[in-house]
Amino acid sequence: MSSTVPNFDAYIFSKQPNYHEPTVRQEFAKAVPNLRTIVVYCYDPRVIEIPIAVAEEFDEVYPGTIVTDVQGNKVASSATLFEVVVAGGRAVDALRSITVAQHLFGIENIVIVHHTYCGATTFTPDGLIEAYKREHHQDIAALYERASISIGDFATSLKYDTRLVRESKGTPKHVNIYGYVYNTDTHGLTKLVEDKGLVTANP
């Protein structure tokens, strides 16, 4: 292993000479020029096909192809769907990613997907909190809203999560928000929540 530390600053846009944030933001948006939809789902390896199912449901391009420049550098993608992968597909863990995606690219749809046989259905908020006290000697009772910790009912969790996203200041009002259940066995999607965004008139 080399003891030489690479100059990682060379890969940080904000540290480049003549950095101008508005210009960089405008140019960076071209990396994924047609991004429209974010899908939030679980990191369970059994459900890695959720983005494919959502792409088919919303007529999106996923995973798309990588675009390179003449030097072979990866400069863009044809994908129109982005993934946010978190435990149980819970919205609480996706809020910052949604805000950043809007800032960098602009989005139209947020799709929250919970799946059958999810690990988040195997425990209760009290069970998790008590286990942390017993096993790690930490009181995490106030760390998260209880409704975001586990999944006791799919309709309830999706209604809560879509409302959480809608009420976040980091979620644009025009964005459509959906809640789906993914069947791990059949790979089918069932829509339980549809929350259309505000339609604004063109100036």
Side-chain angles (χ1 to χ4, degrees):
M1 179 181 293
S2 173
S3 59
T4 303
V5 178
N7 178 23
F8 289 118
D9 285 354
Y11 301 97
I12 297 178
F13 290 101
S14 62
K15 290 189 176 182
Q16 302 313 302
N18 303 315
Y19 167 72
H20 181 248
E21 187 166 347
T23 300
V24 171
R25 181 186 180 195
Q26 185 178 27
E27 290 301 311
F28 194 78
K30 297 177 182 178
V32 191
N34 299 309
L35 174 66
R36 291 188 294 264
T37 298
I38 289 179
V39 55
V40 181
Y41 70 104
C42 185
Y43 51 46
D44 187 328
R46 297 173 298 169
V47 296
I48 58 172
E49 293 182 341
I50 283 178
I52 297 172
V54 172
E56 292 176 354
E57 178 86 356
F58 285 81
D59 194 25
E60 299 289 10
V61 176
Y62 176 86
T65 56
I66 301 299
V67 179
T68 58
D69 61 16
V70 293
Q71 287 81 31
N73 299 312
K74 299 175 183 178
V75 295
S77 169
S78 66
T80 64
L81 178 145
F82 267 13
E83 306 166 77
V84 177
V85 184
V86 296
R90 299 310 306 265
V92 65
D93 302 311
L95 294 177
R96 192 187 71 87
S97 293
I98 290 168
T99 301
V100 171
Q102 171 59 33
H103 180 69
L104 290 179
F105 307 108
I107 53 177
E108 295 178 11
N109 306 301
I110 299 168
V111 185
I112 301 168
V113 183
H114 297 170
H115 70 92
T116 58
Y117 310 121
C118 181
T121 69
T122 67
F123 58 87
T124 63
D126 286 340
L128 179 68
I129 292 167
E130 289 303 317
Y132 258 77
K133 286 181 181 178
R134 183 175 64 255
E135 299 169 11
H136 305 289
H137 313 293
Q138 295 289 338
D139 184 358
I140 63 169
L143 193 56
Y144 310 106
E145 291 288 335
R146 286 181 177 244
S148 290
I149 294 177
S150 63
I151 297 176
D153 176 83
F154 288 120
T156 301
S157 65
L158 285 170
K159 287 178 182 177
Y160 178 87
D161 277 11
T162 53
R163 186 173 68 252
L164 187 67
V165 171
R166 174 61 73 202
E167 293 176 354
S168 170
K169 293 180 179 179
T171 302
K173 301 301 182 186
H174 72 272
V175 170
N176 305 311
I177 305 172
Y178 303 89
Y180 281 83
V181 174
Y182 177 80
N183 189 307
T184 307
D185 293 325
T186 67
H187 311 291
L189 286 170
T190 301
K191 182 169 62 179
L192 297 187
V193 180
E194 180 175 330
D195 181 353
K196 291 286 190 176
L198 295 178
V199 177
T200 57
N202 293 325

